[in-house]
Amino acid sequence: MCGIVGYVGSRECTEVLLNSLSKLEYRGYDSAGIAVFENNVIKTQKSKGKIADLIAKMENEGRLEGHCGIGHTRWATHGEPSDINSHPHGNANVTIVHNGIIENYKKIKEFLERKGYVFESQTDTETAAKLLDYFYEGNPIAAIQRVLDEIEGSYALGIMFKDYPDRIYAVRKDSPLIVAVGDNESFIASDVPAVLQYTKKYYLLEQDEIAVLDKNGVEFYDDHGAPIKKELLTADFDMEAAEKGGFAHFMLKEIHEQPTAVRTTITPRISDGMPNLEECGMTYERLKNYNNIFVVACGTAMHAGLVGKYVIEKIARVPVTVDVASEFRYRDPILTDKDLVILVSQSGETADTLEALRLAKRNGADTLSIVNVKGSSIARDSDMVLYTHAGPEISVASTKAYMVQLSVFYLIAFSIAYAHGKISMEECKRLVAELQNVPNVIEEILKTPDSCQYVASQLVNSENLLYIGRGLDYALSMEGSLKLKEISYIHSESYAAGELKHGTISLVTNGMPVIAVATQRNLFDKTVSNVKEVKARGAYVILVTHKCKTVDSDAADCVISLPTIDDLLMPMTAVVPLQLIAYYTSVLRGNDVDKPRNLAKSVTVE
Ligand code: F6R
């Protein structure tokens, strides 16, 4: 989604804005622009396309020179990607950059048109800019407050007023924004990596708080205009964590970071060999009280929830319902104060997941979030939070975040099972030890990517693909399929292996690739029977299974054999070849692996 940056200080502003924007490219965008105070006049430069296109334009037109400015990468919602629709928007008096959606922009636009304003873009943002201009009578904070009273929806805004050429104003609601400070310089940004090359010190801007930045520092005001003090935070990762570190792509680097990410996530939550989630108040006693568990999330995070469901239900025998957040919100779910709703989100800012959390709270359920980004909205709004410690995930396609989400679900499942007396302490310790061994097994798998590279070379010209599996393998197939389609652009479906013959098998034609995941040994023979059904119809079968399993030579064209661990934990290791297959296929197709088309990293619109 859109990225916002802003700078005021003694450095050359255009340079800082471009550097910072380039660190937000991973969020996904289709145009970019900046506004800079040049000789006390607000000047903008913007362009459809990538930051490189903006830079090319600057080379023709000349760079804006100044020490105070705002910048933006736009992920189009209202109006196609174009120079005109790119941010910043406004006029000579007030100029803004915006992330989010102004839901009532049409009404505001009609009002402003009646007042004589003329609009040039199709964006909702331009209405907010012109409304600010309309309300502005010399006091920026008063004008911002008037605008906040009128606009509905989500927003993070970076604002410049002509009369204050050495200041940036910022405000947000339901879209993230941080305010960072260095030596005689201040910044705004959608995310910490944007400013890490300049400073690690930052503030989290809360709902409807207003920040006023100049080179000497920042002042904050609440929504009534009263000054407030805020806690200065320090980023717990550095530039290196946000750089590729020798890997060709962030996705590959992040796949390789998975063993460390799992260790960092689980180690502090294991004491005396037992899972311990008390850091967030999740005691065994509390865990015993829930009648139902709901897992609500989007995309890959929801797929992690599906694995969580299988594992919790299997060993703890507590019913778990998994919902896509955008469906959960509107299906009027039956929730009580005896229910636990688990929200899963890497970014902690996904709009639908955040709203699902608010719905769960309104209905009296306990809420627990599994979140990667510290201090994000979902983490702050939920009753309990278990942070995953994956470090920044830059690639749009989520890999290490999924992995650590799984690891937290295992700890939750073991804890609930033990709390309910469904497993003994001995069995619980055995499972925890298996989980602790998973990072070593992933390291082993990562040493030999050749079979995944080979599979990618077989898939590269395919138009369609099927992933099949049963039980946990079906949950995993969904993630494998999503990973492949989002970065390779090959159409793929995941299907419950036993369900194929009820319709979908008619799609299977000669040479169509089918990736069968068969890591659950009690279901192995059943899945292999389904594999034979597609093989008999000409499918090219890739089978992912345990090393210890013997596969008939006529069952699969290619077998990816994985070290044998407890079946329950196999999703954590079996997902690695699926991630690698997607990665190498995307590379072979010449795609932009880390920034796939049309996608955004942090989905802050509904
Ligand atoms: C796919 C992917 C997305 C996200 C989804 C939720 O690789 O990354 O499907 O999982 O947009 O995002 P978060 O986890 O930030 O809520």
Side-chain angles (χ1 to χ4, degrees), residues 53-116:
D53 298 303
L54 177 64
I55 293 174
K57 195 169 186 176
M58 287 174 174
E59 269 155 24
N60 282 334
E61 295 174 358
R63 281 195 171 203
L64 297 177
E65 286 180 16
H67 302 281
C68 178
I70 51 181
H72 191 261
T73 45
R74 172 174 186 253
W75 188 82
T77 56
H78 294 64
E80 59 179 5
S82 69
D83 286 6
I84 293 224
N85 287 334
S86 309
H87 299 209
H89 285 284
N91 55 24
N93 294 328
V94 186
T95 291
I96 71 170
V97 286
H98 166 221
N99 176 13
I101 288 183
I102 312 289
E103 284 165 2
N104 57 341
Y105 80 100
K106 277 200 179 131
K107 213 174 95 198
I108 297 172
K109 190 171 176 179
E110 283 161 15
F111 167 79
L112 289 168
E113 279 171 340
R114 284 198 297 276
K115 298 286 174 197

Side-chain angles (χ1 to χ4, degrees), residues 298-301 345-347 350 396-398 482-483 486 603:
C298 303
T300 287
S345 176
Q346 187 286 128
S347 62
T350 302
V396 165
S398 184
L482 177 65
K483 214 80 316 171
E486 69 179 317
V603 185

Side-chain angles (χ1 to χ4, degrees), residues 528 531-536 539 541 551-557:
V528 168
V531 163
K532 289 192 171 160
E533 290 159 11
V534 292
K535 191 89 191 75
V541 174
V551 181
D552 296 347
S553 56
D554 61 344
D557 298 276

Side-chain angles (χ1 to χ4, degrees), residues 52 97 192 194 324:
V97 286
V192 176
V324 167

Side-chain angles (χ1 to χ4, degrees), residues 297-302 344-350 353 378 393 395-399 401 405 479 482-483 486 599-603:
C298 303
T300 287
M302 190 276 291
V344 193
S345 176
Q346 187 286 128
S347 62
E349 299 293 347
T350 302
T353 311
I378 293 172
E393 190 179 63
S395 173
V396 165
S398 184
T399 52
Q405 286 158 1
E479 177 54 11
L482 177 65
K483 214 80 316 171
E486 69 179 317
L599 290 178
K601 184 66 183 164
S602 182
V603 185

